[in-house]
Amino acid sequence: MNSQDQRIQAHNNWPKREEFKAERAFRDRLASKGGDAPFKPISLGKDTDKTYHVCIGHFLDALEALPNRPDQFFDHCFRVIDESARPLFNKQGIKGIVQGLAGKLLSASNDDWQAIVDELGAHIPLMTCRYLAKRMLQVHGSTNDLEKQLSGRVEKCLTKKTYDAFAAKFGTDPANSCIERAASFLKLYLSGKPASKSRGSAYKLLDLHDPKNVPSYQQRIEFLLSVLLFTMRNERAHGGVLSAFRTSKGTLERYESYYFSMLCTYVFAAGILSLRGFGGVSSALIRKCATDNILLQKKFFA
């Protein structure tokens, strides 16, 4: 049975649950790992602030979605970002939050947040980079209002000239090999490490062997927040994408990608709680959370 027919059958047979291919694979992996999800939350302290408890409520809803729905965990954590960061970004809205949070986090605790973004950047799944590459190439030069919003955020992170070079180099051929090469570039870019050697490319702005082209910590955090996570949030909120694990393309790799993205949203949500002084949440605690959970994910999805 194809996935289209299976989705219709699953709807019509409710409340009987229909298990899809990716869900089966994840269930098997979960069983082989003793049933434990590859995630461990930080320990939150007591606080009487109303906003703090609204955020904890979202975290509880997020945790109830695990282990099977990391995409729903992601949604709840983004609500924490939206709710808790508003006083830090007066009247700037969610776009201002995702574009400005990097500076505030690094100013508050530079060493810890540099370590956190190094950890996240070093372990971003290649599938997540493929998603980024595909979206970035799709919207470059678009006149569609929604797509222009994404391309504008990419330009702010990369600069317009670098984004134009990215599209020129990787967007000339829609073949999968082109997306793979673009994804590999983004994986290296987000690692923050220079390339081992120059490839003599005609696109000098994309030569990561040149230290001038290696992104700063602020650029990398903003890229994760504004380009990756905010794009995922918008697509899910607007309802224009298929259910993450109930498609013919659903795989364990997709679960890994969503577990990574949900960890990123959780880490940045916790970062805002630390900026607000809520519940004794510290950058050191968040740093340990990021390190521990990356290790859990590596062991689980290896």
Side-chain angles (χ1 to χ4, degrees), residues 128-145:
T128 309
C129 293
R130 289 190 205 108
Y131 165 83
L132 276 168
K134 187 174 181 180
R135 292 296 184 270
M136 288 168 62
L137 293 172
Q138 282 175 335
V139 304
H140 181 265
S142 174
T143 57
N144 176 279
D145 287 342

Side-chain angles (χ1 to χ4, degrees), residues 27 51 69 102 115 132 137 148 157 169 184 210 224 256 279 291:
R27 172 173 54 79
T51 298
R69 297 302 300 267
L132 276 168
L137 293 172
K148 282 168 65 177
C157 289
K169 180 173 183 178
S184 295
D210 186 340
L224 287 171
E256 180 183 19
T291 301

Side-chain angles (χ1 to χ4, degrees), residues 113-124 191 220 260 263 287 290-292 294-295 298:
W113 280 100
Q114 284 189 0
I116 290 166
V117 75
D118 278 341
E119 192 74 51
L120 296 176
H123 295 99
I124 184 170
S191 77
R220 291 158 66 201
F260 175 83
L263 175 61
R287 178 177 178 175
T291 301
D292 290 349
I294 286 292
L295 182 60
K298 283 177 65 178

